[in-house]
Amino acid sequence: MSDYHLHLHPHEPTPDGPPPGAYPVEYLERYVEAAAKRGVTELAFTEHLGRCVESAGVLGPFWELEPDPVEQERTRALVAGDRNLSLERFVDVVLRAKDRGLPVLLGLEVDFFPHTIDAVMDFLAPYPWDLLVGAVHFIGGWTFDRPWAREPFLQRGVRRVWEGYFDLSAQLAASGHLDVLAHPDRIKLHGFRPPEEPLDLYERLVAAAAAGDTAFEVSSAGLRKPVDEVYPAPTLLRMGREAGLAITLASDYHTPDGAGWGHGAVVAAARAAGYTHRAAYAARRRTLVALPEIPPGAPAD
Ligand SMILES: [Zn+2]
Ligand SMILES: [Zn+2]
């Protein structure tokens, strides 16, 4: 089986990993070994475009979209502190690992902004991607996913924030530029939800993904957040299945030990929604692969 969302560098340095921007090819073998122990034998590395120094020009100062100067400065500082990776070296090491015969794919987690996506796609065109995963990590220039965002999240209104997130996600999915929508309802990560399950937002997103032929990622990352739930929610995933959307399986881990983490949980979520297959990618072409059987009550890891 597969883990189609992995990073080579955590956001905070660890004593165990290479320094930011360094890419020893042997380090990728550790992901492959850890995943194999979980029965996961196909990995896609999907570094954050926005963390690569080469993305500064093409993504631009998007934090300026945020009207509140305090929040704008938080996003600017976050991006500045996090932008310490190399797109060129990332691509090079994944291609070298492929050449060595490791079961790895070249992917990227692409930060989506409506005003820059066309330029971003031009920028990415020369590279031999196997898949491109699109993600909404910012609403305009506001960073919603950090602990400091909890207070403004509530001040702005939970339903309103969800609407902003789903609106951008629907634009991403409808654009057809990217193969997969990462962690589709990650806006729930803090555990803040509208009082009623927002079926109208789900419907719009699913219709957009069907129109753009964009797959949904089923991710165990939400199990490591306060919300403690797979992305996407059972209702949203079932609606995706009914609309014929393809799915990928993912952990979104940033260290080798987590490769394939939560595989049983994501397969169980996919099966509960009625899925029998997941997507595989090579050179941005999709094929379908049967899901494994997971016994009822299988643990998350
Ligand atoms: Zn992400
Ligand atoms: Zn990620």
Side-chain angles (χ1 to χ4, degrees), residues 94-113:
V94 177
L95 295 181
R96 279 193 288 133
K98 282 178 87 167
D99 284 347
R100 283 189 180 197
L102 293 182
V104 301
L105 299 175
L106 178 62
L108 195 70
E109 181 169 12
V110 178
D111 304 89
F112 177 79
F113 300 93

Side-chain angles (χ1 to χ4, degrees), residues 40-105:
V40 175
T41 53
E42 187 187 349
L43 306 184
F45 291 103
T46 55
E47 197 46 84
H48 292 284
L49 171 64
R51 290 196 63 190
C52 298
V53 292
E54 296 94 331
S55 70
V58 75
L59 288 178
F62 60 85
W63 48 88
E64 291 177 1
L65 297 169
E66 167 58 37
D68 180 333
V70 173
E71 296 301 321
Q72 182 184 129
E73 172 53 22
R74 282 173 163 165
T75 300
R76 188 204 61 75
L78 177 81
V79 172
D82 219 22
R83 190 167 274 161
N84 50 15
L85 304 183
S86 161
L87 186 69
E88 290 294 333
R89 291 206 290 275
F90 167 70
V91 169
D92 180 65
V93 77
V94 177
L95 295 181
R96 279 193 288 133
K98 282 178 87 167
D99 284 347
R100 283 189 180 197
L102 293 182
V104 301
L105 299 175

Side-chain angles (χ1 to χ4, degrees), residues 5-7 11 46-48 109 135 137 182-183 252-254:
H5 189 144
L6 286 163
H7 298 272
H11 295 270
T46 55
E47 197 46 84
H48 292 284
E109 181 169 12
H137 294 123
H183 38 67
D252 207 349
Y253 244 86
H254 289 56

